[in-house]
Amino acid sequence: MNENLPPPARAPEPRSSAPRDAIMTVNRPLLCQFALAAALLCWGLAPEEFRPEAAESLLLAGKNTADLDRMEAGYYEHLLDTGRRLDGETLVSSPPKPPPFKVTDLARPVDDFRECVLEPSFTTIFQQARWTTNALGLRDREYEAQKPEGTYRAVLIGDSIGVGWGVHDGEGFEPRLEKALDTQSSTVGGPRIEILNLCVPGYAPAQRREHLERLGWSLDPDLVIVQATAADLDWDEGRLRRLLSAGYGWEIPIYQDAINAAGLKPGASSSSIKKGLEAQQLRILSDVYRALGSDCSRRGVPVVWILLPRVGRSVSATERQTLVDLAKASGFDPVLDLSDAFDGLSPATLAIGPNDYHPNAQGHAILAQRLEDALANRPGAPWTQPSRPGSAGGAAH
């Protein structure tokens, strides 16, 4: 773990004020205002030598305030594919926009680079779909934190598509893929197969890596699955641009090389930040991908990288090749380009609604089948062979 990052937040306790079957989605403006006020107070009281750490705390608390929410709202809408019609027209008259995910009851604020995690042990209706999180804070079934003997465990890191935005529990591609691979493994006498879903809506690639660092590695995975879309190309760059323009984020370690290469210093104008970071867009993503690849290589854990489509949004040949090349250069293997999974199909039959590009249950079923086809018969994969004594199975290469 990078020592320059804030220490991990203490493991959260289940929320006692909301019953497990609560059906609500509420924003928390008062909590956000309190967090900002507390952060400003800490800044004023902090000794001079500790001001950098106080600045990092201000970054993490301040980004939950209304000013930054307004600044980031349009960007996150773009990345989450909400607020536009499937015909490409911007909505002129539409229902009220949902609050940013990080201020809903499903999100628990944390004082680190991730900004929020999923509320553990919680059930609600969100965006017209039933969401249930487990004790680990994952939208998934319950798992033991300690990997059971005779189990091959994978973790999936990704964004709103990976977590199953807009579909009910169990309808996403991840639980379908887990069931298919576990059934196949059981048939051949292999290990139990687990895929733990660490995806969180709104997470940029660097936040996904941070979530793996702070939670995923403690779960002892044998495999990391990285879920990507074409939005990865500018996700971290756009997010960082908005943070720096608001005076935050200058000390985030993963972005330092790009900030330095852009020649940017605190106090730079918004136009200078925009111009400088746009020129570093690929470097920013490459730095994140390479760091993730290095993390996994150091632990001897293989990485599967999957490029998924977004309903109604085509991926250009240039975007596809750029992402595939970055993934390969980062040591991800296998690199699975599934961006054509929805080609030739009507977006209206695959989207959760006319104003949201996220795949519906049928779309997730297609993604799960494509992933199963790509992974089921890979030579040496643990679900293709009997378990050896004392082993949970082979690699997924």
Side-chain angles (χ1 to χ4, degrees):
M1 182 182 298
N2 195 309
E3 295 180 355
N4 293 323
L5 288 172
R10 190 171 62 181
E13 295 295 329
R15 184 182 295 176
S16 59
S17 61
R20 183 166 180 80
D21 290 324
I23 299 179
M24 58 182 134
T25 303
V26 182
N27 68 17
R28 297 178 290 214
L30 293 179
L31 175 61
C32 297
Q33 294 173 23
F34 177 80
L36 178 59
L40 290 171
L41 178 61
C42 291
W43 169 265
L45 296 177
E48 187 68 30
E49 63 270 23
F50 296 123
R51 288 287 176 87
E53 287 77 6
E56 178 70 11
S57 296
L58 180 59
L59 155 69
L60 297 164
K63 281 185 295 175
N64 281 325
T65 61
D67 56 344
L68 282 179
D69 282 341
R70 286 192 298 270
M71 181 183 69
E72 295 186 79
Y75 187 62
Y76 281 120
E77 275 188 10
H78 163 69
L79 294 171
L80 292 175
D81 282 335
T82 59
R84 292 184 66 85
R85 295 183 57 86
L86 292 176
D87 56 16
E89 294 296 324
T90 302
L91 294 174
V92 176
S93 177
S94 63
K97 295 176 182 178
F101 180 80
K102 62 187 178 183
V103 297
T104 66
D105 270 10
L106 269 168
R108 171 173 287 196
V110 291
D111 59 350
D112 59 59
F113 177 55
R114 297 168 296 173
E115 300 184 64
C116 70
V117 295
L118 295 183
E119 182 71 36
S121 301
F122 191 65
T123 296
T124 189
I125 298 298
F126 180 74
Q127 297 295 295
Q128 300 181 325
R130 186 176 181 86
W131 283 54
T132 303
T133 61
N134 63 22
L136 297 172
L138 313 179
R139 191 189 184 189
D140 216 328
R141 64 181 179 86
E142 293 291 345
Y143 296 93
E144 296 294 332
Q146 182 174 353
K147 182 174 60 180
E149 184 177 354
T151 297
Y152 185 87
R153 173 173 284 182
V155 293
L156 171 69
I157 58 173
D159 59 18
S160 55
I161 294 180
V163 81
W165 178 285
V167 299
H168 294 293
D169 294 333
E171 292 183 342
F173 72 81
E174 175 272 318
R176 298 172 191 260
L177 179 64
E178 179 190 63
K179 182 177 180 180
L181 296 182
D182 185 57
T183 298
Q184 177 176 329
S185 186
S186 176
T187 300
V188 300
R192 288 185 296 274
I193 304 298
E194 294 181 346
I195 303 178
L196 279 63
N197 194 332
L198 272 68
C199 299
V200 177
Y203 268 17
Q207 290 172 295
R208 300 167 208 167
R209 174 186 176 245
E210 186 74 5
H211 202 36
L212 178 64
E213 185 74 19
R214 292 179 178 269
L215 175 61
W217 291 122
S218 69
L219 302 174
D220 192 21
D222 302 293
L223 176 70
V224 172
I225 303 174
V226 178
Q227 174 254 308
T229 70
D232 282 17
L233 285 168
D234 65 354
W235 200 324
D236 276 292
E237 179 267 323
R239 179 173 181 270
L240 179 60
R241 172 158 39 97
R242 286 155 178 78
L243 291 176
L244 298 186
S245 295
Y248 307 111
W250 292 94
E251 302 301 324
I252 297 176
I254 193 66
Y255 297 140
Q256 286 305 295
D257 287 347
I259 292 174
N260 292 337
L264 297 174
K265 301 290 184 182
S269 67
S270 295
S271 59
S272 297
I273 291 171
K274 181 177 186 294
K275 181 178 179 181
L277 291 184
E278 281 181 344
Q280 301 299 319
Q281 187 179 99
L282 289 183
R283 177 176 189 152
I284 293 171
L285 179 59
S286 177
D287 286 349
V288 173
Y289 272 16
R290 288 179 182 273
L292 176 56
S294 178
D295 295 341
C296 296
S297 177
R298 187 170 64 251
R299 293 172 170 84
V301 175
V303 186
V304 174
W305 181 87
I306 55 174
L307 178 61
L308 298 184
R310 294 177 292 169
V311 179
R313 292 243 179 141
S314 60
V315 180
S316 72
T318 300
E319 291 174 326
R320 180 183 295 110
Q321 194 59 53
T322 298
L323 285 163
V324 167
D325 288 346
L326 284 178
K328 289 180 177 178
S330 302
F332 303 158
D333 181 26
V335 169
L336 304 177
D337 177 10
L338 307 182
S339 59
D340 63 348
F342 298 151
D343 285 3
L345 302 174
S346 170
T349 67
L350 298 175
I352 62 174
N355 305 329
D356 196 324
Y357 287 87
H358 287 85
N360 58 20
Q362 179 182 345
H364 276 277
I366 292 171
L367 296 177
Q369 188 60 59
R370 285 291 300 273
L371 282 166
E372 181 183 353
D373 293 343
L375 295 172
N377 297 312
R378 293 194 68 85
W383 46 82
T384 65
Q385 56 193 358
S387 296
R388 299 187 302 274
S391 170
H397 293 293

